[in-house]
Amino acid sequence: MPQIKSPADLDRVREEIIAKRDPNKPCIAICAGTGCLALGCAKTITAFKEEVQKRNLEAKVDIREIGCPGFCEQGTVVVIYPEAICYLTVTPRDVPEIISQTIIENKIIDRLLYTDPNTGEKAVHEYEIPFYKSQMRLLIGNNTKIDSKSLDDYIALGGYSALAKALFSMTSEQVIEEVKKANLRGRGGGGFPTGRKWEECRNAPAEPKYVIVNCDEGDPGAFMDRALTEGNPHLVLEGLIIGAYAIGCHQGYIYVRQEYPLAVENVNVAVRQAKEYGLLGENILGSGFDFNVEVHRGAGAFVSGESSALMTALEGKVGEPRPKHIHTVIKGVWDKPSNLNNVETWANVPLIINNGADWYGSIGTEGSKGTKIFSLVGKVNNTGLVEVPMGITLRDIIYNIGGGIPGGRKLKAVQTGGPSGGCIPESLIDSPVDFDELTKLGSMMGSGGMIVMDEDTCMVDIAKYFLDFLTDESCGKCIPCREGIEQMLEILTYITEGKGEEGDIELLEELSEVIRETSLCALGGTAPNPVLTTLRYFRDEYEAHIKEKRCPAGVCKALISYYIQPDKCQACLICLRECPAEAIIGGKNQIHVIDQTKCTKCGTCLDVCPSRFGAVARISGEPVPSPLPAEARAIRVKQGRAK
Ligand SMILES: Cc1cc2nc3c(=O)[nH]c(=O)nc-3n(C[C@H](O)[C@H](O)[C@H](O)COP(=O)(O)O)c2cc1C
């Protein structure tokens, strides 16, 4: 194992690694990230290893287990180098063919390529696939080129050169100035200027100081930080070491939620390797700078991602927030100056140091520089991780990258900013995505959750969903958050159950104000956002629920009914057989009727009724028409059939 004791050593080691590698040797890069593991990629990886062994190709083919390449909708993703052929939805069954055709015969297997659903065109390489085309993958782009557990792979791609540059050709102050000039803003939610935070921590009078990586990532559906920490842990670690040097501290922590076992494993491997190579520990790269890192597994509560709660958890206590009259950069872990940044924030640092603040500043908008990773989920064709330049429009993300809304449905809104974010209506999707623009719209960037909603989404129900999550996740330490969110949830529940009253909207607004102003931490401080933005853009939906007892989207069970239209029913028995509540009356040649007293409103009848009949209707805000008597039902079908 190489001992790297100087920048020249690092260059030499890099050259040796590259020299040992044959750039023309086929390498099969297989996603081994958590998402694809859930899809069964472990079996695909084993199948590749066995097939390669069976054909005695071990010396001729490399197999690389990589982190998430982002296109989760089409996992398991396999990229074959040096041509970078991208195969999607690969299963163990495809493996023998990939080896015999692509590796041995050099032929492309058409059926495993991306097919454009509109044009039918095939795409051989990642960069030709619309999902990837409009992205700017500065941070996750290297995931396919790096074995998540290989420091050599990272070094071969120029890894740790930013650290060498910072340690040997920049003073700590210059590093901070560069990060300030790049206008890097924190990716964990608030968008606070990173360089300013570092400077405040550096200037704090007490010693020792700490630097911390926040990989708690509690937002439901978000996995940006997991993908980076699992897939390219050295990028995060390099950023952290540079930050430690800039701030002047010698101990760091990487806080990873326990529910991310692969991220915990890979980051532990990275720390061990960095120590062994001389990139962590004493006298890093011979610079005289000492820095150590410990990996801390968090208990995985959403609130523990909040800065003061996370620091309390690091101290071994329950991860609850504490008052922040004094900022954590002055009094953080063990009351010492502590600088906490999000995974993605740290990952940006090597890029800024290597390429300079001017380069970084050329990407993005006036107030938001660089790229942002989003987890694009919900009612969108291409779900997955997308990295885009700041300033891109929501339309570009949803349609060009996300491929639009499934089933030709209409877009209704997009929710950004995690559970405390907000819903932006379809009419505003040409808005650019950056910290300030999203805040102006009443939402926020948050850490990068982006949930697409179609016309079948009830916005009151959505607000209720997020408040339900936040009620569960509130630590209960302060009354406004503990009691207030629950009160708001209760009102929303009444509204969705048809028990809403005049004045409920005003009460929700009043409670929002109090909770926002008086909560101990930003969990309560931002919790009313889902209600406030849905009220701002979809107030008519609240009013319909309250005044007309109607759910316009047809979602709230208490306000909807299913009804079989007698003139359309063909008595085909399908809904009658499929109804799990046995709520459908009828028979052969008898128009079917739903017994409303038994109906659980699961919607199965609507789903299974053949579209050519379209006999089942979902109605809201109006009484269900009375059923025909049995005799009439039988006659009507006969008449219908006779025609
Ligand atoms: C309830 C709550 C949960 C949070 N969870 C996270 C998280 O999981 N990851 C994260 O980086 N920041 C989270 N934050 C934001 C952190 O408090 C903090 O602002 C952030 O880690 C700072 O890093 P940055 O400046 O790089 O954004 C959370 C904040 C709140 C109020």
Side-chain angles (χ1 to χ4, degrees), residues 459-625:
M459 302 316 285
V460 187
D461 185 58
I462 284 293
K464 188 179 116 195
Y465 166 80
F466 284 118
L467 261 68
D468 193 26
F469 174 83
L470 292 165
T471 309
D472 271 357
E473 296 295 332
S474 167
C475 74
K477 195 168 173 176
C478 75
I479 296 169
C481 178
R482 185 182 68 223
E483 301 297 330
I485 306 177
E486 200 154 311
Q487 288 300 312
M488 289 182 75
L489 176 62
E490 196 169 282
I491 297 169
L492 290 171
T493 307
Y494 283 145
I495 296 175
T496 54
E497 286 176 349
K499 298 176 198 152
E501 293 173 359
E502 288 281 340
D504 276 353
I505 293 181
E506 292 70 20
L507 191 53
L508 281 172
E509 285 170 333
E510 207 178 312
L511 275 166
S512 297
E513 191 65 27
V514 175
I515 297 167
R516 198 148 73 166
E517 292 301 320
T518 56
S519 291
L520 174 63
C521 83
L523 189 151
T526 53
N529 282 355
V531 174
L532 291 174
T533 49
T534 45
L535 272 175
R536 177 166 164 185
Y537 297 116
F538 302 96
R539 202 180 184 93
D540 53 335
E541 280 197 35
Y542 280 83
E543 284 167 354
H545 281 73
I546 296 169
K547 293 182 189 159
E548 301 163 35
K549 307 299 171 206
R550 180 170 66 86
C551 173
V555 170
C556 297
K557 278 193 175 178
L559 299 180
I560 57 167
S561 307
Y562 290 91
Y563 163 64
I564 300 174
Q565 303 168 80
D567 54 330
K568 293 189 177 167
C569 177
Q570 299 298 315
C572 68
L573 297 174
I574 296 178
C575 65
L576 189 143
R577 287 197 193 110
E578 295 288 328
C579 174
E582 297 182 352
I584 298 179
I585 310 159
K588 222 174 153 192
N589 291 339
Q590 265 206 334
I591 290 170
H592 306 341
V593 171
I594 298 174
D595 178 347
Q596 299 294 332
T597 60
K598 285 189 182 168
C599 177
T600 57
K601 302 179 182 177
C602 65
T604 304
C605 50
L606 182 67
D607 294 342
V608 299
C609 180
S611 57
R612 61 185 187 282
F613 304 157
V616 180
R618 187 171 45 206
I619 53 176
S620 184
E622 53 181 296
V624 180

Side-chain angles (χ1 to χ4, degrees), residues 185-192 194 197 214-219 225 302-308 324 340-343 345 447 521-523 526:
R185 293 175 68 174
R187 302 305 201 238
F192 192 82
T194 304
K197 197 196 274 191
N214 190 344
C215 186
D216 187 61
E217 198 165 50
D219 292 13
D225 298 344
F302 174 65
V303 76
S304 301
E306 191 276 339
S307 55
S308 67
K324 284 194 286 186
L340 173 74
N341 279 121
N342 169 261
V343 167
T345 315
S447 58
C521 83
L523 189 151
T526 53

Side-chain angles (χ1 to χ4, degrees), residues 149-161:
K149 292 191 173 65
S150 167
L151 173 54
D152 283 2
D153 279 4
Y154 184 66
I155 290 178
L157 289 176
Y160 288 103
S161 55

